[in-house]
Amino acid sequence: MVNLGFSIGDLRFKNPVLTASGTFGYGSEFDDFLDVSLLGGIILKGTTLEPREGNAYPRMAETPSGMLNSVGLQNKGIEFFEKNIYPRVSSYNTNVIVNINGNHIDDYVGLAERISRLDKIPAIELNISCPNVKMGGMAFGTNLGATRDVTRAVRAVYPKKLIVKLSPNVTDIVSFAQAAEEEGADSISLINTLLGMAIDTGSMKPALSTITGGLSGPAVKPVALRMVWQVARSVRIPVIGIGGIMNTRDAVEFFLAGASAVQIGTASFIDPGVSLKIVGGISDYLSSKGFSDIKEIIGIINRQGTGKS
Amino acid sequence: MTKRIEDLKITENTRLNKDIFILGLSGNSSLPEMRPGQFAQIKVEGSPGTFLRRPFSIHDVDYERNTFRLLIQIAGDGTETLSKLRKGDTLNLIYPLGNSFSVPEKNKRILLAGGGCGVAPLLFLAKYLKSHGLNADILLGYRNSERIIESGEFSAIGNVFIATEDGSEGEKGLLTDHPLLKKESFDVIYCCGPVTMMKTVAVYCRKRNISCEVSLENLMGCGIGACLCCVVETTEGNMLTCTDGPVFNINVLKW
């Protein structure tokens, strides 16, 4: 029997496969395809204080080995979440984590306070990396001072597990991860989408209504893997790897690079059952390599030397 | 209705004209119940540029033979690849997805209006209505006679009226100019085709207080309501084409 469990502090996860915010709805969209409770956890759709309609259509464009989106955090707001979604997701027997977003620090603080009162939500993911909103979002995650301020402010009001989701749209990812750790984050997740764009040569117009959007899918995986590797060897808290993971092999790469867990994102659009297949796949991989615990392979590439003397 | 992800076998690949073909599909297990207006999300193998699945309307269902058909227009690399599939090949589908056209009360005068490859969901709808004891007139519009998608199946179900833009078959002009629309008074119109055509039909229906449902084809990421990419602006805020639609009553659309 292979041990796949991991922890953020005293919060236990039965396995290291979670679903990424904005790619898994509120879980129920996937009930026909897998037993959500068998996943390590699910990160729910980005939630804001007030309802948001999101950006205008078109908000998606397919690109080589990936896609751009500019959904813009469409959601019905925290009140709707508390009344209508929370009762439903509470029945999942896994860690249900809310991804929170705001225009101002006060928004994040307000959301964190309200969500801390929800018994069945053991953690929040602080989204300071959404590229598709005019205010807030990535503006926090690409400014070191703002990253510190928002993390510190939320930490002060939120006693449960705080995961900070980083933006890849920075020059030095390590400094952002360390800033979040110093301000009290319990875990780092990365990467959110890479800012990109596409143009329709037929209509001679941008493919997205917002012109730019966030790139996800296999196209971003090498970038994500590099950043996860850099961050994992620079912080002491668990790192959750995200970015273009389509299958078991991709997920394993992130563990070898130092991630304690992974989130499956865009892949769920193509195969809604893929996250659970990856749970089984990781177990098979470890057995085939003669390991009994996933911890044995986390960051293993750092222990083997880099090929340089 | 439970959604499935399933490998199905190609039972048929019939070219109807230069750009349009029909794929027949069958599985080992019995088909789920499907409704007209619903669609399937197809994974296209062997087309590196096609990353996401592609949605296609259910064109026809034959529960007795345990097969159903999709009508597909070649529009890019993905559909080009699908057009080369052969009998016996495997295709991975997520289906049935989305809502469906409503079934009107008895004695309503019904018109099905389809433009180009927008006729796809209407054959299934015509047969479904027939099985509920309802007859419909069928008005189909095409660019020219070479584009006609009709293998006699529509005319076996109801009166078929054709419009072609160049007059090479049926009435000359757009579907929305067809004399049938001036002559007859319908109670319900179901419509699928290019957006400009559907908008014209919607205006026609509003003026005459005709109940009208249209099937939309927005760009989709997932098809199951998770990615929120296929939004359509409605009187009730943004709705999803994949799960709130693809069929919408024109009353909720901001057309």
Side-chain angles (χ1 to χ4, degrees), chain A residues 146-164:
Chain A
T147 296
R148 284 187 181 281
D149 292 345
V150 68
T151 307
R152 187 188 313 127
V154 169
R155 177 75 289 172
V157 300
Y158 189 74
K160 296 192 249 181
K161 298 297 172 267
L162 172 62
I163 303 166
V164 176

Side-chain angles (χ1 to χ4, degrees), chain A residues 22-25 29-30 32-33 45 53-71 74-75 207 216-218 246 266-273 277, chain B residues 1-5 41 43 48-54 92-95 97 217-234 236-241 243:
Chain A
T23 64
F24 207 70
E29 293 84 349
F30 291 77
D32 286 346
F33 304 105
K45 173 77 193 141
E53 281 291 312
N55 294 318
Y57 180 88
R59 26 163 105 163
M60 188 272 282
E62 196 176 47
T63 53
S65 295
M67 62 181 282
L68 291 161
N69 89 81
S70 60
V71 171
Q74 178 178 332
N75 80 102
S216 65
M246 300 300 287
T266 305
S268 293
F269 297 158
I270 295 156
D271 178 357
K277 289 179 194 162
Chain B
M1 241 179 266
T2 309
K3 304 182 261 287
R4 292 182 184 181
I5 181 164
Q41 279 271 66
K43 190 174 173 195
T50 311
F51 175 63
L52 297 164
R53 287 176 183 264
R54 292 289 185 270
N92 186 269
L93 283 83
I94 302 177
Y95 77 110
L97 300 172
E217 193 191 31
N218 284 9
L219 281 175
M220 282 181 197
C222 66
I224 59 172
C227 74
L228 311 187
C229 289
C230 62
V231 284
V232 53
E233 260 191 276
T234 73
E236 295 156 36
N238 278 335
M239 290 173 91
L240 299 179
T241 305
T243 49

Side-chain angles (χ1 to χ4, degrees), chain B residues 69-83:
Chain B
R69 299 192 293 165
L70 304 172
L71 180 83
I72 301 175
Q73 178 163 29
I74 298 174
D77 293 345
T79 42
E80 178 78 44
T81 304
L82 291 176
S83 75

Side-chain angles (χ1 to χ4, degrees), chain A residues 135-202:
Chain A
M135 292 172 73
M138 201 174 87
F140 285 101
T142 55
N143 178 305
L144 212 45
T147 296
R148 284 187 181 281
D149 292 345
V150 68
T151 307
R152 187 188 313 127
V154 169
R155 177 75 289 172
V157 300
Y158 189 74
K160 296 192 249 181
K161 298 297 172 267
L162 172 62
I163 303 166
V164 176
K165 185 171 184 176
L166 298 183
S167 170
N169 302 301
V170 297
T171 311
D172 179 15
I173 191 75
V174 168
S175 59
F176 286 85
Q178 288 173 335
E181 181 181 38
E182 282 163 24
E183 298 300 341
D186 298 300
S187 173
I188 302 287
S189 60
L190 76 165
I191 61 174
N192 204 319
T193 53
L194 273 156
L195 197 60
M197 68 186 278
I199 299 170
D200 180 337
T201 53

